[in-house]
C-alpha cells in the first residue's frame, strides 16, 4: 500500500512550478524547491504574496511559508525524501529525459515522479529513468492553484498502482483528474486548444480577422457555453429535440466544407454511434429542455461574472 503523500519536491519554479507550489501550500504540504535560476525565488515569493489574500478565502486556510517551504541548491537535495516530485522544467524532450533521470537516481523507490509536460509522451520521459514504473505525466492548467483539471498520462512502463495513487493525491488536493487510457502527444485538452490555436493562426495570417476579433468570437459565444458543457453536450442541444442525432444529420455536409485547415475524420456509423451514445450518457437522461434550462440559467450568471471581471 502507498504511504500518504505529504512531502513534495517541485523542480522548476516558473509559471507552472509556482502555481503547483501555491496549491500545495494551501493543502498543508511540506515543499522542497529547486530551480537553477536565482531570480525564480523572487518570482515565487512575489506570486505567493500576490495571491495570498484571495486564496485564503478560496481555500479557507492559512499558510506558513517558513514552516512549509524550503529552497534547495540541487535536485538531489530537493527530492531525496519526497513522496511526490512535480517536475516543471521547460518543454524540451531531451532536457526532461535528463532531469527526470536525475530525479529518479536520488529519490525513494516508492515516490511518484510526475512531469507537468504539456504534450510529451511519458514513455519517452521515463525511458532512461531508474524505476520507471513510478513516472507519469500530471498535466495541469494555468493558474494551477485555481484551475482544477489535471491530466494523468501513464507511460508504457508506468505501474497501475502509481496511477491510482496519483489520482488519489491530486483529487485530495481539490483537482479534477482525467486519466488517459493511452498516451498520445498533446494529451486531450491541449490537442483541443492546439487545433483552435492553429486555426486562429491561419485566419490571422491570411488577414481575415484580428486577435481581438478572434478572442471576442470565443468570449461572447462558444466560450460561455464551453465552461459548462464542452463541445459534445453543446452540440447535443444544437440538434433541437432530436439532439446529437439531428445535429449530425444537419451538419455532416459541413465537415467537407473548407471551414478548417484540419482534416476531419470520416463520419462512419461507428463514430456516429460513439458520439450519440456518449452525449446521451453525459446528459444523464435529462430532456433537451431540462438541459437547456440549466444552460440558460448558467449563462445568465456567467455573463454577470464576465462583466465583473472583463479585461
Ligand atoms: P517557465 O519557463 O515559466 O519555467 C520553467 C522553469 O524551469 C524556469 O524557472 C527555469 O529556470 C527552470 N529550469 C530551467 N532549466 C532547468 C533545469 N535543468 N532543472 C530545473 N529547472 C529548470 O515554463 P512553464 O510555463 O512553467 O512550463 C513548465 C512546464 O509546464 C513545461 O513542461 C510546460 O509545457 C508545462 N506546462 C505549462 C503550462 C503553461 O500554461 N505555461 C501549462 C501546463 C503545463
Amino acid at each position: 500500500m502507498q504511504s500518504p503523500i505529504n512531502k513534495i519536491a517541485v523542480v522548476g519554479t516558473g509559471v507552472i512550478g509556482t502555481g503547483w507550489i501555491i496549491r500545495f501550500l494551501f493543502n498543508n504540504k511540506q515543499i522542497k524547491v529547486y530551480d537553477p535560476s536565482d531570480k525564480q525565488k523572487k518570482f515565487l515569493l512575489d506570486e505567493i504574496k500576490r495571491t495570498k489574500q484571495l486564496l485564503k478565502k478560496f481555500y479557507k486556510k492559512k499558510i506558513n511559508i517558513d514552516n512549509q517551504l524550503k529552497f534547495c541548491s540541487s535536485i538531489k537535495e530537493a527530492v531525496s525524501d519526497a513522496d511526490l516530485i512535480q517536475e516543471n522544467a521547460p518543454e524540451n524532450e531531451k532536457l526532461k529525459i535528463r532531469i527526470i533521470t536525475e530525479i529518479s537516481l536520488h529519490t525513494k523507490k516508492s515516490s511518484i515522479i510526475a512531469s507537468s509536460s504539456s504534450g510529451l509522451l511519458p514513455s519517452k520521459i521515463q525511458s532512461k529513468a531508474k524505476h520507471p514504473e513510478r513516472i507519469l505525466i500530471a498535466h495541469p492548467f494555468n493558474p494551477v492553484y485555481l484551475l482544477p483539471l489535471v491530466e494523468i498520462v501513464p507511460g508504457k512502463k508506468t505501474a497501475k498502482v502509481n496511477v491510482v495513487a496519483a489520482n488519489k493525491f491530486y483529487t485530495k488536493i481539490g483537482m479534477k483528474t482525467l486519466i488517459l487510457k493511452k498516451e498520445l502527444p498533446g494529451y486531450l485538452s491541449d490537442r483541443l486548444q492546439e487545433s483552435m490555436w492553429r486555426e486562429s493562426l491561419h485566419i490571422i495570417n491570411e488577414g481575415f480577422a484580428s486577435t481581438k476579433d478572434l478572442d471576442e468570437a470565443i468570449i461572447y459565444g462558444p466560450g460561455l457555453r464551453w465552461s459548462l458543457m464542452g463541445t459534445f453536450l453543446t452540440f447535443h442541444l444544437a440538434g433541437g429535440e432530436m439532439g446529437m442525432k439531428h445535429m449530425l444529420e444537419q451538419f455532416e455536409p459541413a465537415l467537407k466544407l473548407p471551414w478548417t485547415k484540419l482534416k476531419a475524420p470520416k463520419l462512419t456509423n461507428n463514430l456516429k454511434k460513439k458520439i450519440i451514445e456518449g452525449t446521451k450518457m453525459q446528459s444523464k437522461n435529462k430532456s433537451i429542455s431540462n438541459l437547456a434550462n440549466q444552460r440558460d440559467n448558467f449563462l445568465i450568471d456567467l455573463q454577470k461574472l464576465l462583466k465583473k471581471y472583463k479585461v
Side-chain angles (χ1 to χ4, degrees):
M1 210 180 77
Q2 293 273 339
S3 52
I5 294 171
N6 287 318
K7 293 182 181 169
I8 296 180
V10 174
V11 174
T13 61
V15 175
I16 292 304
T18 290
W20 276 120
I21 291 167
I22 296 174
R23 181 177 280 274
F24 294 146
L25 283 170
F26 279 96
N27 281 278
N28 298 326
K29 303 298 174 192
Q30 299 290 319
I31 309 142
K32 287 189 179 167
V33 170
Y34 169 72
D35 194 294
S37 162
D38 288 339
K39 65 179 193 321
Q40 290 310 115
K41 181 174 177 181
K42 182 176 180 320
F43 173 69
L44 169 60
L45 294 176
D46 285 350
E47 278 293 280
I48 293 174
K49 201 169 155 197
R50 182 182 66 78
T51 55
K52 210 167 151 184
Q53 286 316 315
L54 177 71
L55 295 184
K56 215 166 97 180
K57 278 192 222 147
F58 183 73
Y59 284 97
K60 299 185 179 68
K61 269 183 196 147
K62 278 189 191 165
I63 57 173
N64 184 331
I65 300 174
D66 294 335
N67 286 345
Q68 291 178 264
L69 199 59
K70 181 170 188 277
F71 290 91
C72 300
S73 52
S74 68
I75 285 187
K76 185 177 175 184
E77 186 192 348
V79 307
S80 57
D81 66 346
D83 304 314
L84 179 134
I85 299 95
Q86 190 77 41
E87 173 275 316
N88 320 280
E91 187 79 351
N92 172 306
E93 189 175 279
K94 270 192 187 153
L95 179 68
K96 294 248 191 224
I97 292 174
R98 187 163 64 69
I99 293 173
I100 293 285
T101 304
E102 186 177 346
I103 293 170
S104 76
L105 296 176
H106 301 297
T107 44
K108 299 182 291 184
K109 192 183 163 198
S110 60
S111 51
I112 289 175
I113 304 174
S115 169
S116 296
S117 172
S118 297
L120 298 172
L121 294 179
S123 292
K124 279 271 168 66
I125 284 180
Q126 70 189 176
S127 58
K128 299 215 165 97
K130 196 174 166 190
H131 303 306
E133 69 279 358
R134 72 286 184 41
I135 296 166
L136 44 80
I137 303 291
H139 172 228
F141 292 80
N142 186 43
V144 184
Y145 46 80
L146 278 179
L147 291 192
L149 185 61
V150 56
E151 294 178 307
I152 299 179
V153 192
K156 291 195 177 77
K157 292 182 180 165
T158 312
K160 182 118 191 273
V161 64
N162 291 319
V163 176
V164 171
N167 184 37
K168 194 170 158 196
F169 168 71
Y170 291 112
T171 304
K172 225 170 168 179
I173 61 166
M175 302 187 87
K176 159 74 190 159
T177 57
L178 253 184
I179 303 177
L180 267 66
K181 292 186 189 75
K182 280 195 243 173
E183 62 183 337
L184 81 167
Y187 323 136
L188 302 185
S189 210
D190 274 359
R191 284 182 88 102
L192 299 181
Q193 291 198 93
E194 184 69 15
S195 62
M196 204 152 72
W197 177 235
R198 289 181 191 186
E199 208 55 45
S200 303
L201 293 179
H202 280 304
I203 290 173
I204 289 176
N205 200 30
E206 290 161 33
F208 291 109
S210 67
T211 55
K212 184 167 177 277
D213 293 336
L214 284 178
D215 279 352
E216 288 185 352
I218 296 302
I219 293 169
Y220 295 101
L224 287 170
R225 297 185 308 212
W226 275 332
S227 54
L228 181 67
M229 289 186 173
T231 304
F232 288 97
L233 268 188
T234 295
F235 282 179
H236 186 43
L237 296 187
E241 277 307 309
M242 296 286 288
M244 180 57 92
K245 190 170 180 300
H246 179 62
M247 150 72 204
L248 290 178
E249 280 160 11
Q250 179 165 216
F251 292 108
E252 183 170 358
L255 291 176
K256 298 247 167 62
L257 297 176
W259 278 11
T260 157
K261 300 275 181 186
L262 300 169
K263 270 192 181 168
K266 193 172 176 325
L267 208 48
T268 59
N269 284 340
N270 192 24
L271 182 54
K272 282 184 190 172
K273 194 167 163 243
K274 275 190 190 165
I275 296 172
I276 293 169
E277 283 180 1
T279 40
K280 210 170 158 190
M281 208 172 76
Q282 275 176 281
S283 51
K284 294 179 181 157
N285 286 330
K286 288 184 183 170
S287 69
I288 295 287
S289 59
N290 193 330
L291 285 169
N293 279 341
Q294 201 176 330
R295 176 198 60 196
D296 294 350
N297 278 310
F298 172 79
L299 290 182
I300 288 166
D301 281 353
L302 199 60
Q303 286 187 68
K304 285 183 199 153
L305 279 179
L306 182 60
K307 238 187 200 160
K308 188 172 166 194
Y309 289 104
K310 192 170 163 281
V311 181

